[in-house]
Amino acid sequence: MGTLSKQNVFLRTNLGQPLPQDDVDLVRTAVDSTSEELTIFIALVDIGSIDRTTGWSQMQRRVAELYTVAFGRALRSQTCATIDIVLLDFCAYSSEDMAPFAQCKTLVSAKDKHAIPTWWPASMALNLVVYPQPSTLSESNGQQSGSATSSSTRLPVPWTAYPHVALGGTFDHLHVGHKILLTGAALAATKRIVCGISAETLLEKKKYKEQLESYRVRELNVLLFLRKIRKDIIFELSPLYDQYGPTATDASIEALVVSHETLSSSNSLNVRRAEHGMPSMQLLPIDLVVTPQIDANRPRSDSDDYRASVSSENSALKISSTAIRASLAEKQSRH
């Protein structure tokens, strides 16, 4: 299979089971054959059995697993494609929203080829590439399992969710860690996401400061990504001038999405809210980058794809941003 500039993947996943090796191979093949933009569409097959108290954590972890597989493969093969994951059950896409993707090939496993959503544009069925096994790819002329409609997707989330959810960060050179964090917020919110983005005055001591993107560029990249993964909620983006941001004044915020690395320090935000007579926020820690279960029978070289995205340092979010700026600074010094 040749390299394509843009490509899609469709796969169904069961949160009650480990990530299947066939799905891992499908994602790896898609990464290897995409040069610019890869969008992975995920559908759940076990919605009815998801526990309300643990479902959000399971879902965000599965997203982190898939990003880790894709990012690890991209690192190893030095692929420069942008990789995004869209959850079909909760994105509120319509068939019109799928139109830009209908012009691209969509990789799908043999087991899922008859489960393509019926509301997808009919033309997407003509661009399916069925992936039966790692060494064999074949074009599919199969039909969708129903007629396409214009109805949008938006199922009630099967886990505890909150109308107003907040998160914050620098979001410099938007990368996989940021996307996992933002997706966690999109999975937890039902009405509004409040996203604080570090103002340039807070970044004076950042390494390779000269390579930092401007606030407006970072804000735009966050907004475009959020609009890609959710179509039915409000996004409020604003600059952060201190560690508290909107959480110190907006009493309607009910939950805050954080990384495990910042979980302890985030408690100070609730202390500040209590001082002002506001209710505490539920803290929702996400897994920035995880190591999926590795099949002991797989060759070691395959297992290395998983580990390639796990740095020797603790925070993938911090490492990736710093590494990107360091790389840009090195390139600039050569000219």
Side-chain angles (χ1 to χ4, degrees), residues 37 39 67 82 84-86 93 101 171 174 179 182-183 195 197 216-231 235 237:
E37 182 179 346
T39 302
Y67 266 124
T82 297
D84 296 327
I85 293 176
V86 177
Y93 271 37
F101 305 100
F171 299 105
L174 196 72
K179 292 177 180 181
L182 291 165
T183 301
C195 183
I197 302 173
R216 291 304 176 192
V217 169
R218 291 180 283 125
E219 180 186 56
L220 177 60
N221 288 338
V222 169
L223 182 59
L224 290 176
F225 178 73
L226 286 172
R227 284 179 173 172
K228 184 172 184 178
I229 63 174
R230 280 293 296 270
K231 299 289 187 183
F235 305 121
L237 279 58

Side-chain angles (χ1 to χ4, degrees), residues 218-263:
R218 291 180 283 125
E219 180 186 56
L220 177 60
N221 288 338
V222 169
L223 182 59
L224 290 176
F225 178 73
L226 286 172
R227 284 179 173 172
K228 184 172 184 178
I229 63 174
R230 280 293 296 270
K231 299 289 187 183
D232 62 335
I233 58 177
I234 298 170
F235 305 121
E236 292 184 5
L237 279 58
S238 61
L240 286 175
Y241 296 102
D242 56 39
Q243 64 176 314
Y244 303 108
T247 63
T249 57
D250 190 340
S252 68
I253 296 175
E254 298 161 279
L256 179 69
V257 176
V258 299
S259 67
H260 280 287
E261 289 76 15
T262 61
L263 179 58

